[in-house]
């Protein structure tokens, strides 16, 4: 069943599966994605009510142009309240991982368990940036926002969109890639189709610091599982070519960040990249099932 609820300051589209189940898992997708990315988990978790919102600026949710980490987290709190989740489980991927970690740090009493799926961001090459490096990063973020606007890539038709989706996710099953691509597009006003996500959503990366986020990881007290892929560095190389050949740094940074969360368990799936649930769906679903079973108090 799909619902429309009020988020912090916009409407959110939320899919709910297994509505009569007594336990609840809320799933938060990543940037440029939509809730359909995780809907396949619902049949595997028949004893869980699975709630999957489309983030603001994504899927069928509103695109109101306001995309801070605080707003994304407030939306998630609205989801918990709207569906009366007093205590439940939370899974977040990529941007959804940042949102889920922030929620867990601030509203930990609402959680029985947390699953972060490659949700820490790129590895940091040093513990602290000096002011010159910080200024350069801020300048790059401002310049990037100059060009984001509301411009969207227009594609000729759905088949072209599917081809683009498969090219970006070569390990994903073809039939699933076709379904996800079609769920993620909408007719463009000038003809053709465009992706159902607002390019302005990328401004979220300039609304928080990774230093502050890492400090808040220490506030997470619920059972936590971190799932990543052994090839996750490949994704970050597209945006940070200076990380080439830094696999050891990538692994060290992962271990350091996991250690910030008391008692957190780390699972690295061999052969998977940033889109862990696409690249290794069987191993990923088993890791999720095992964690939920082990941390389930009922």
């Amino acid at each position: 069943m799909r619902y429309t609820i009020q988020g912090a300051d916009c409407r959110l589209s939320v899919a709910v599966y297994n509505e009569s189940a007594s336990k609840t898992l809320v799933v938060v997708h990543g940037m440029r994605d939509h809730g359909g990315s995780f809907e396949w988990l619902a049949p595997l978790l028949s004893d869980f009510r699975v709630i999957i919102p489309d983030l603001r600026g994504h899927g069928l949710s509103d695109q109101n142009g306001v995309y801070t980490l605080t707003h994304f987290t407030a939306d998630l709190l609205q989801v918990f309240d709207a569906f009366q989740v007093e205590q439940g489980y939370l899974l977040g991927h990529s941007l959804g991982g940042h949102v889920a970690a922030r929620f867990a740090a601030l509203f930990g009493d609402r959680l029985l368990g947390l699953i972060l799926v490659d949700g820490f961001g790129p590895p940091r090459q040093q513990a602290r940036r000096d002011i010159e490096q910080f200024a350069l990063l801020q300048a790059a973020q401002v310049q990037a926002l100059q060009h984001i606007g509301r411009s969207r890539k227009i594609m000729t038709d759905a088949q072209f969109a599917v081809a683009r989706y498969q090219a970006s996710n070569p390990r994903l099953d073809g039939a699933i890639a076709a379904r996800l691509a079609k769920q993620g597009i909408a007719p463009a006003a000038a003809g053709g189709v465009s992706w159902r996500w607002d390019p302005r959503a990328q401004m979220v990366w300039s609304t928080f610091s990774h230093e502050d986020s890492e400090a808040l990881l220490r506030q997470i007290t619920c059972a936590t599982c971190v799932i990543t892929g052994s090839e996750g560095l490949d994704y970050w190389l597209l945006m940070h070519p200076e990380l080439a050949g830094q696999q050891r740094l990538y692994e060290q940074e992962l271990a350091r960040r996991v250690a910030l969360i008391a008692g957190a368990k780390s699972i690295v799936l061999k052969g998977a990249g940033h889109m862990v649930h696409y690249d290794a769906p069987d191993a990923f679903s088993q890791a999720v099932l095992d964690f939920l079973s082990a941390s389930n108090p009922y």
Side-chain angles (χ1 to χ4, degrees), residues 14-36:
V14 184
V16 182
Y17 306 88
N18 311 329
E19 294 196 63
S20 62
S22 59
K23 296 171 289 185
T24 299
L25 170 68
V26 179
V27 180
V28 189
H29 66 78
M31 177 70 75
R32 295 177 296 193
D33 206 351
H34 54 79

Side-chain angles (χ1 to χ4, degrees), residues 58-297:
H58 294 77
L60 299 176
S61 290
D62 281 352
Q63 301 183 5
N64 71 344
V66 181
Y67 303 109
T68 72
L69 185 59
T70 299
H71 282 85
F72 281 113
T73 307
D75 287 343
L76 182 55
L77 182 58
Q78 288 288 95
V79 170
F80 270 68
D81 287 347
F83 293 97
Q84 300 179 332
V85 185
E86 295 302 322
Q87 284 193 314
Y89 296 85
L90 179 60
L91 182 155
H93 170 246
S94 193
L95 169 59
H98 287 283
V99 177
R102 185 63 58 98
F103 183 92
L106 302 179
F107 305 101
D109 60 313
R110 305 292 291 270
L111 295 183
L112 297 169
L114 172 68
I115 302 173
L116 299 178
V117 185
D118 209 356
F120 291 139
R124 293 166 55 190
Q125 292 184 289
Q126 59 185 37
R128 291 182 178 274
R129 297 189 301 267
D130 59 36
I131 189 61
E132 290 82 6
Q133 289 176 312
F134 177 72
L136 286 173
L137 178 60
Q138 290 295 302
Q141 290 176 335
V142 169
Q143 290 167 338
L145 289 175
Q146 272 188 304
H147 305 294
I148 287 177
R150 295 208 66 176
S151 59
R152 299 174 185 273
K153 293 182 179 178
I154 305 300
M155 298 167 285
T156 53
D157 53 28
Q159 287 185 327
F160 185 86
V162 172
R164 287 283 300 274
Y165 208 91
Q166 288 181 292
S168 299
N169 302 279
R171 299 187 185 101
L172 184 61
D173 177 81
I176 297 175
R179 173 181 63 79
L180 292 172
K182 289 179 179 178
Q183 286 178 329
I185 59 175
V193 298
S194 62
W195 298 114
R196 283 186 185 275
W197 69 280
D198 188 346
R200 297 174 298 175
Q202 294 175 98
M203 71 174 63
V204 66
W205 305 124
S206 65
T207 68
F208 67 99
S209 75
H210 288 288
E211 290 87 351
D212 288 344
S213 289
E214 288 188 7
L216 284 173
L217 291 178
R218 299 181 186 276
Q219 296 297 113
I220 297 174
T221 58
C222 65
T224 302
C225 179
V226 177
I227 305 176
T228 55
S230 62
E231 310 308 309
L233 180 61
D234 291 347
Y235 174 80
W236 300 115
L237 288 176
L238 299 174
M239 294 160 280
H240 299 277
E242 71 277 5
L243 292 173
Q246 298 290 320
Q247 181 66 26
R248 184 177 180 185
L249 170 67
Y250 173 76
E251 294 171 357
Q252 289 174 336
E253 278 292 275
L254 172 62
R256 180 184 66 81
R257 287 160 162 171
V258 171
L260 295 175
I261 306 173
K265 177 182 181 181
S266 176
I267 298 176
V268 179
L269 301 184
K270 187 175 181 181
H274 177 66
M275 303 300 286
V276 187
H277 55 303
Y278 286 0
D279 297 341
D282 292 340
F284 174 79
S285 59
Q286 190 60 56
V288 171
L289 288 167
D290 289 346
F291 173 76
L292 292 176
S293 176
S295 60
N296 183 4

